[in-house]
Amino acid sequence: MVMPLFDTASTTDASTALPLGVTVPRADTAAAGPAGNGRPGARANVACYAPGVRSLEIVYRAPGADWRVQALPNVTHGVHHGIVDHLPYGSRYGFRPAATEQSLPLAVPTRDVNDDGGQPLLLDPYGQAVDQRDGFLTSVRMASDFDWGQDARLRLEWRDTIIYEAHVRGQSMLHPDLPQELRGTYAGMAHPAIIEHLKSLGITAVQLLPVHFHLDEPHLQDLGLTNYWGYNTAAFFAPHPGYATKAAQEAGPQAVQDEFKGLVKALHAAGLEVILDVVYNHTAEGGPDGQALSFRGLGEDTYYRTDGNGKYVDTTGCGNSLNFAEPQVVQLVVDSLRHWVDEFHIDGFRFDLAVTLCRNDANEFDPQHPFLVAVAADPVLSDVKLIAEPWDIGYGGWQTGRFPAGWADWNDHFRDTVRSFWLADRASLESGGQGGSVARLADVMSGSAALFAASGRSRLASVNYITAHDGFTLNDLVSYDRKHNEANGEQNRDGHGDNRSYNHGFEGPTEDGAILAKRAQSRRNLMATLLISIGVPMITAGDELGRTQQGNNNAYCQDNALAWLDWTRTPESHEMLRTTKRYIRLRKEFLAAQPHEFPVLDEQSYLYWFDQAGQPMSMERWNDPQHRVMQLLLGSDDGTLAGLVVVNGSTSDVHITLPRIIAQGTPHTKFELRLTTTPLHELRQGSKVASGEKDLVEANSINIYRT
């Protein structure tokens, strides 16, 4: 073992409590002038918020040197800080309470750090990289060197945004055109074959599942599984090294960081925004009996929400909840977000279990919570895309529609309504039962306006989705009535039971041609509804290829072919890909013909509803489940074309009468059929029907026309 060298703080310590983390001392920056933001040397200002300890030490090791220990001599409002003279870039380090304080259970082995069985090393909450060598975790001091060239955030409009939710590892693990060493990595995601697929699909933003440094939960380790999704963050400023190539991992944290930046740069060059799924609601330290990795050892009662008696208040289901009633926690998250925008050029964030971030002292959701106010007032963060998963598992946890201006919400009402109409209702109808009316479907297709109006937001606050990483894939929605999560090691008890899916007569894979045709029809209906509805659509990676997870609706621990994208080309995957591209092109074509304000300004945009006879929908028709046909004419007074969407959710073919409208003073406008979700699309596309005349809409299908 190597005996640590003990340093004492300089008698001229000019450290500051802010900024937190390891930074260039202010005096050094001022002396260096404009060039001082390069690599000014080994001196560092070290500041760590640790209200739970009286005195704090930094244990550190410069590249090629021995371990050293230095006390942080100054304490300002719970922030321990000092100047360290031998901490160059690339140095590994961690914190521990001074030896006189009560020791916590060891979080990591301390071999090569001390030889007296002393304090554990705690990660820096502001550490920008995590090193896992020698069997324990340390933070790493990082430089910002990277050649961004002309890269900048893209700032695409919300109304033109189409989100593609993807996993860095799963996206490329099985892609046949990628070299083996790039598969499952940041560099693999940036490979031209992957980017070409995304560009040709037509999406505009890639939303990456968590790339913050995360750890596997102990119960998964006991089962020989891993947290594939990564929703178990241990370091909010550090990219996960496990997604870098082997070469980058061996080269060290700087190479890992650069590889991820290279991914962002490549996606931007392709015109694609990068949105990160971020997990600030809890940490990898788990419940009160979990590991002390960082926050628990630095100030457990401050960083985590408790009930006043020291008992954890868990609104996440993960053992702990970060305490957003504490200003320093709000500052930590705001600083982390700004770091990813400034340092990595990230375009936006999707916040996992976002309600936990907005709970006040009374543990109630507050749409004016200091965290939300801080983000809105921040000149950097207020300029990026902000997406809430608007629920958690605590009391009052479902808050869809209540986040403030500047935010968009995952719209679970859209998800459930569309699934019910096309799948659960169809199952009921085909078994002799009754389905629901078209009213709820009409509401979500038109942007769930009433849901978001109270928060002062428009229809563009609705992030519409039918599937996500959590739940069935699109293909499994139409192939399974029940979840099949046995591979997760929890006797199929995990995962959601309310899937609103329909197997169309057989559970799982089948070679029955009639069933396969019905499933394909339902897939097309679901994807078309998603992409023609007002709001911001989100596609889950692989749905455009008909990906299956074999009925597993909670594949968070399946880092294998079950959860990875299968790029094998089959007639079914080829058809689904062509179909998805077609729907995206149609959406873009329609929006390009509308003024910039569409659909935000209701006085200029219109949505007219008609029944199958071409007459305005009556309240009786809206609420009668026997009438599952509706027509939606939408557009803008200043637009160059209108769109007509006709939905037939019944089990019979229907002859509709297209509505009589006046366009540019002409009372009998022609409609051109642009799309039908039936197999007859290629034959019928382009046919023209005059308003007031009849056309056929087959059972369980959608027709889309333009004027």
Side-chain angles (χ1 to χ4, degrees):
M1 295 187 180
V2 178
M3 179 69 70
L5 301 178
F6 284 80
D7 288 350
T8 58
S10 168
T11 56
T12 59
D13 188 337
S15 66
T16 56
L18 294 174
L20 292 165
V22 176
T23 59
V24 178
R26 290 181 181 175
D28 293 19
T29 302
N37 53 10
R39 290 180 177 267
R43 277 170 52 88
N45 188 88
V46 178
C48 179
Y49 182 61
V53 301
R54 288 190 298 272
S55 57
L56 192 70
E57 295 174 343
I58 180 172
V59 182
Y60 61 100
R61 186 179 196 174
D66 294 326
W67 287 101
R68 294 173 177 266
V69 178
Q70 178 177 311
L72 300 179
N74 306 306
V75 183
T76 305
H77 304 304
V79 177
H80 298 250
H81 54 99
I83 297 293
V84 179
D85 287 323
H86 306 287
L87 195 66
Y89 293 103
S91 296
R92 302 165 63 195
Y93 70 97
F95 298 113
R96 67 182 188 186
T100 56
E101 298 217 8
Q102 179 64 39
S103 178
L104 289 162
L106 291 183
V108 294
T110 55
R111 61 179 180 273
D112 289 342
V113 178
N114 59 49
D115 61 355
D116 58 3
Q119 306 297 330
L121 292 187
L122 301 169
L123 294 173
D124 181 359
Y126 280 70
Q128 296 180 14
V130 177
D131 191 293
Q132 296 175 278
R133 285 176 294 174
D134 304 324
F136 62 96
L137 307 177
T138 56
S139 299
V140 183
R141 187 183 185 190
M142 300 294 292
S144 298
D145 304 353
F146 185 76
D147 181 11
W148 282 105
Q150 300 300 311
D151 182 80
R153 290 189 292 113
L154 298 181
R155 294 180 169 86
L156 301 180
E157 296 290 339
W158 268 117
R159 82 154 204 182
D160 299 320
T161 298
I162 303 172
I163 298 171
Y164 183 87
E165 187 196 42
H167 190 290
V168 167
R169 182 165 167 79
Q171 190 73 15
S172 64
M173 275 298 294
L174 299 177
H175 199 292
D177 294 338
L178 267 65
Q180 191 66 40
E181 65 271 15
L182 297 185
R183 296 185 182 186
T185 69
Y186 299 126
M189 186 84 182
H191 190 276
I194 300 294
I195 290 182
E196 176 55 32
H197 173 77
L198 300 175
K199 287 180 62 178
S200 66
L201 184 60
I203 57 97
T204 69
V206 177
Q207 181 174 298
L208 297 175
L209 267 67
V211 298
H212 290 178
F213 177 81
H214 67 267
L215 295 170
D216 300 324
E217 294 88 339
H219 82 274
L220 290 179
Q221 297 177 41
D222 293 341
L223 292 169
L225 300 172
T226 62
N227 189 323
Y228 169 65
W229 287 350
Y231 289 88
N232 202 41
T233 307
F236 295 122
F237 291 73
H240 190 66
Y243 297 154
T245 57
K246 182 180 180 180
Q249 292 184 53
E250 291 175 348
Q254 194 70 47
V256 170
Q257 176 177 282
D258 290 350
E259 188 174 310
F260 179 70
K261 289 180 177 180
L263 166 59
V264 176
K265 185 177 179 180
L267 290 171
H268 281 175
L272 301 172
E273 290 188 311
V274 181
I275 298 171
L276 297 188
D277 198 332
V278 288
V279 187
Y280 294 111
N281 54 77
H282 76 283
T283 79
E285 291 185 318
D289 58 345
Q291 294 178 310
L293 299 170
S294 178
F295 309 97
R296 178 163 293 136
L298 297 172
E300 168 175 46
D301 294 336
T302 301
Y303 281 108
Y304 295 120
R305 184 178 289 277
T306 61
D307 63 1
N309 297 313
K311 183 179 179 181
Y312 278 27
V313 176
D314 181 9
T315 59
T316 68
C318 301
N320 65 62
S321 302
L322 278 176
N323 181 18
F324 280 82
E326 167 58 47
Q328 286 284 2
V329 172
V330 173
Q331 179 184 345
L332 169 73
V333 174
V334 169
D335 287 347
S336 170
L337 293 168
R338 195 184 300 112
H339 171 74
W340 287 95
V341 175
D342 290 342
E343 186 70 22
F344 293 91
H345 293 197
I346 297 302
D347 301 280
F349 303 93
R350 178 266 187 189
F351 293 80
D352 183 63
L353 301 182
V355 169
T356 292
L357 283 60
C358 310
R359 289 185 176 272
N360 57 23
D361 281 330
N363 202 29
E364 297 173 342
F365 174 79
D366 182 359
Q368 296 181 330
H369 189 280
F371 169 69
L372 297 172
V373 173
V375 170
D378 189 282
V380 173
L381 301 182
S382 60
D383 190 41
V384 303
K385 287 183 166 68
L386 303 168
I387 303 170
E389 182 184 39
W391 52 80
D392 63 15
I393 68 166
Y395 177 78
W398 233 260
Q399 298 293 337
T400 309
R402 292 199 62 204
F403 275 74
W407 287 72
D409 297 3
W410 267 24
N411 189 349
D412 53 307
H413 297 272
F414 182 96
R415 174 199 65 199
D416 294 346
T417 299
V418 175
R419 289 185 180 191
S420 293
F421 187 86
W422 289 118
L423 298 177
D425 286 2
R426 183 172 182 180
S428 177
L429 290 167
E430 292 186 353
S431 64
Q434 183 172 278
S437 72
V438 295
R440 290 189 65 197
L441 182 68
D443 176 59
V444 298
M445 285 181 62
S446 58
S448 306
L451 182 65
F452 294 97
S455 62
R457 293 180 290 166
S458 76
R459 306 171 198 267
L460 291 179
S462 176
V463 174
N464 299 331
Y465 71 107
I466 296 170
T467 66
H469 64 276
D470 186 2
F472 278 146
T473 67
L474 190 72
N475 191 46
D476 287 356
L477 271 179
V478 305
S479 305
Y480 294 90
D481 282 352
R482 305 178 303 278
K483 59 188 174 76
H484 297 268
N485 299 352
E486 291 81 5
N488 296 354
E490 299 182 41
Q491 292 76 51
N492 205 32
R493 293 191 300 264
D494 61 309
H496 210 292
D498 181 19
N499 296 290
R500 309 187 188 201
S501 58
Y502 179 36
N503 67 16
H504 295 79
F506 187 85
E507 187 76 355
T510 180
E511 295 182 1
D512 187 310
I515 291 177
L516 292 174
K518 288 182 178 181
R519 290 177 177 178
Q521 178 70 30
S522 290
R523 284 197 302 267
R524 291 191 294 266
N525 288 338
L526 293 166
M527 187 65 81
T529 304
L530 172 64
L531 289 167
I532 63 179
S533 295
I534 294 176
V536 179
M538 184 187 81
I539 300 170
T540 303
D543 279 352
E544 78 278 17
L545 301 171
R547 183 176 75 89
T548 178
Q549 290 179 170
Q550 300 175 25
N552 192 316
N553 75 347
N554 190 34
Y556 78 105
C557 57
Q558 298 298 322
D559 187 5
N560 51 51
L562 186 73
W564 302 336
L565 265 68
D566 183 356
W567 294 92
T568 305
R569 298 301 294 268
T570 66
E572 293 78 15
S573 68
H574 180 68
E575 187 267 344
M576 193 63 207
L577 181 59
R578 288 180 58 209
T579 295
T580 305
K581 290 180 178 180
R582 180 184 299 134
Y583 298 166
I584 291 175
R585 286 196 302 269
L586 189 67
R587 177 185 182 86
K588 291 183 173 181
E589 174 188 278
F590 172 76
L591 288 175
Q594 308 305 321
H596 180 267
E597 295 81 7
F598 180 89
V600 174
L601 297 181
D602 287 340
E603 61 270 21
Q604 294 182 6
S605 307
Y606 57 77
L607 295 94
Y608 300 138
W609 301 94
F610 304 93
D611 61 20
Q612 69 186 62
Q615 299 301 310
M617 288 285 284
S618 64
M619 287 302 297
E620 179 184 2
R621 291 262 178 178
W622 274 129
N623 298 311
D624 186 352
Q626 300 299 320
H627 295 284
R628 288 174 55 85
V629 179
M630 66 179 178
Q631 303 186 64
L632 166 61
L633 182 72
L634 71 166
S636 173
D637 293 337
D638 299 326
T640 59
L641 63 83
L644 179 67
V645 179
V646 185
V647 172
N648 179 9
S650 71
T651 56
S652 303
D653 297 351
V654 172
H655 281 91
I656 61 163
T657 300
L658 274 65
R660 294 182 180 274
I661 63 171
I662 298 176
Q664 298 178 345
T666 303
H668 298 291
T669 298
K670 290 275 188 182
F671 288 94
E672 178 188 0
L673 182 64
R674 296 288 295 148
L675 181 149
T676 175
T677 60
T678 73
L680 298 178
H681 169 77
E682 301 293 346
L683 293 175
R684 296 192 59 197
Q685 181 186 22
S687 61
K688 294 181 172 59
V689 185
S691 62
E693 294 185 356
K694 293 184 180 296
D695 199 13
L696 176 70
V697 184
E698 294 188 76
N700 288 299
S701 71
I702 302 172
N703 280 8
I704 301 177
Y705 307 79
R706 71 177 182 186
T707 56

